[in-house]
Amino acid sequence: MTRQTIELPQLRMPYPAHVNSHFPALREENETWARRMGMLDCGAIWDTSQFHAMAVDRLTAWTVPDASLADLRLVHRLMLWTLAWDDHFAFKFKRTGDLSGARAFTARLHSFLSPVPGAAVPDPVNSVEKGLVDLQYDLLRSTPVHMRQELNRALRRYVDAGVQELVNNLAGRVPDLIEYALFRRESFAAYTAPCFVELSTGAAIPESIKHTRTVSALFDAFMDHMGLANDIVSYQREVDDEHDVNNLVVVLKASLGVSVQEALYAAADLVDARLRYFEHLAQTELPPVIRQAGLDPGERADLEAWLKGALGFLAGLYAWYTSARRYVPEGGPLAERHPTAEAVPVG
């Protein structure tokens, strides 16, 4: 299909991406799990060249640079699974318009996402289900209860969002901007990211401030940036190739009545605004919350480590977006590199 001629805007990312020291070990086993789950070759989700073009090993090593090898492997498999689900769902249901099949497929996935250890599950019948069963075993065995529950909740939101995307596509319904911004956190699996940062840093947001307005806004800005930035770099893949209406650029084009190019620039401005708001919250609004809560030095250190890890996660995603051939055709990156900066101080 002929693609539109557009100029992808340069995105601001002033934070450096670091590579996990266990990357060589992960790279050696990059194919192992996907192949064992039946995701590669012989009529599976990807052929080997497509798989390596995605560079999920690099994505993982960039986004969780301080994770242990065991946690790096877990995040890698979760990220692989979300991409496998995405491509399988697009091929089987979005391209065919099979809404009833999509709903049945999603209902079965819910049966594999029980947070109860030892719960009975159906026998997996495809590579997506097989991967989810295997992940559940790892999640249930190796992660704290709160993280297991949060990851399962995030994955349920993620697969449910796929059905809603298909509903929108079939109806030609472009979502409202506010509705879409909230929905994108689910459809990007962004609710998994706070857990990934915790795995990478070994630090959690202190419970005494976790549910404050300021920290909730931090979470929202963090999740919004990653999903909305993805909409820019994946615009041609999703809209030109898959005819998807669930994309920030499409939403802005419809709501503002502008051209695709103008909508791309507006989307870049919105993505930058979410990162700047994260920075503002960390620098200006969070310190009074910390003082009022009376956080001890250990809690302050955990909070600072988590915030630094969150910015590192976004930097890692940016590095992947601007290099992986899933989005970038051979010939160069989408955006120029920016000067690095120190992480936002807190406290």
Side-chain angles (χ1 to χ4, degrees):
M1 176 178 180
T2 302
R3 291 190 170 196
Q4 303 172 71
T5 301
I6 58 173
E7 177 186 352
L8 290 173
Q10 182 171 299
L11 300 177
R12 183 180 76 97
M13 178 44 66
Y15 303 100
H18 299 289
V19 179
N20 191 292
S21 62
H22 299 293
F23 175 59
L26 184 67
R27 192 169 196 174
E28 286 184 8
E29 63 182 56
N30 186 33
E31 282 185 39
T32 305
W33 186 77
R35 194 170 294 282
R36 183 157 54 86
M37 296 301 106
M39 297 173 179
L40 293 182
D41 298 329
C42 300
I45 297 171
W46 306 296
D47 61 34
T48 303
S49 63
Q50 289 172 325
F51 177 81
H52 286 293
M54 292 193 303
V56 185
D57 52 347
R58 280 188 285 149
L59 165 65
T60 313
W62 275 327
T63 52
V64 289
D66 298 313
S68 67
L69 179 57
D71 287 338
L72 183 71
R73 184 178 290 120
L74 176 59
V75 174
H76 179 252
R77 292 179 183 181
L78 278 161
M79 287 181 165
L80 265 178
W81 185 86
T82 59
L83 289 167
W85 173 90
D86 186 34
D87 287 353
H88 177 85
F89 193 89
F91 180 77
K92 290 287 186 180
F93 307 114
K94 282 188 175 180
R95 293 184 182 181
T96 62
D98 182 6
L99 182 57
S100 61
R103 284 174 169 155
F105 173 67
T106 302
R108 278 184 58 86
L109 291 182
H110 272 268
S111 67
F112 296 103
L113 284 165
S114 170
V116 180
V121 296
D123 291 331
V125 297
N126 55 56
S127 58
V128 173
E129 292 183 355
K130 187 175 181 180
L132 192 52
V133 169
D134 194 73
L135 278 171
Q136 286 299 301
Y137 175 70
D138 278 344
L139 289 173
L140 292 171
R141 182 182 63 181
S142 62
T143 60
V145 173
H146 79 278
M147 188 176 294
R148 180 191 318 152
Q149 293 173 339
E150 287 182 27
L151 286 169
N152 279 320
R153 188 179 304 116
L155 293 177
R156 287 195 294 271
R157 285 172 156 175
Y158 177 57
V159 300
D160 286 348
V163 175
Q164 184 57 51
E165 286 185 330
L166 180 54
V167 169
N168 290 343
N169 286 346
L170 292 174
R173 177 184 177 272
V174 178
D176 169 79
L177 176 58
I178 301 302
E179 172 200 355
Y180 182 71
L182 298 174
F183 176 66
R184 189 63 175 128
R185 299 170 194 167
E186 300 179 346
S187 67
F188 189 71
Y191 286 98
T192 61
C195 294
F196 292 162
V197 173
E198 186 174 334
L199 286 169
S200 179
T201 62
I205 301 286
E207 280 297 322
S208 59
I209 66 168
K210 189 173 183 178
H211 302 291
T212 61
R213 186 210 65 83
T214 299
V215 173
S216 294
L218 270 166
F219 278 134
D220 291 347
F222 170 57
M223 293 188 292
D224 288 345
H225 184 277
M226 63 185 75
L228 299 179
N230 179 266
D231 279 355
I232 296 172
V233 299
S234 65
Y235 171 78
Q236 289 187 308
R237 180 177 184 272
E238 292 180 354
V239 178
D240 288 352
D241 296 349
E242 298 177 5
H243 309 291
D244 204 329
V245 300
N246 303 280
N247 181 285
L248 176 63
V249 179
V250 176
V251 169
L252 288 172
K253 180 178 181 295
S255 61
L256 299 178
V258 296
S259 68
V260 170
Q261 190 63 62
E262 290 170 321
L264 279 162
Y265 289 134
D269 288 343
L270 181 55
V271 168
D272 186 53
R274 297 309 282 156
L275 180 57
R276 291 185 187 279
Y277 189 52
F278 184 102
E279 294 166 334
H280 164 76
L281 290 166
Q283 292 172 327
T284 305
E285 296 195 24
L286 195 55
V289 174
I290 294 170
R291 290 192 293 270
Q292 185 175 2
L295 297 188
D296 62 36
E299 290 173 319
R300 287 177 178 240
D302 276 352
L303 177 59
E304 187 162 357
W306 193 94
L307 290 172
K308 182 179 179 182
L311 291 171
F313 190 93
L314 295 180
L317 277 175
Y318 171 84
W320 184 63
Y321 290 158
T322 56
S323 63
R325 291 202 308 276
R326 183 176 178 87
Y327 304 112
V328 186
E330 300 223 32
L334 286 169
E336 296 178 2
R337 294 294 179 196
H338 298 277
T340 61
E342 295 298 321
V344 177
V346 298

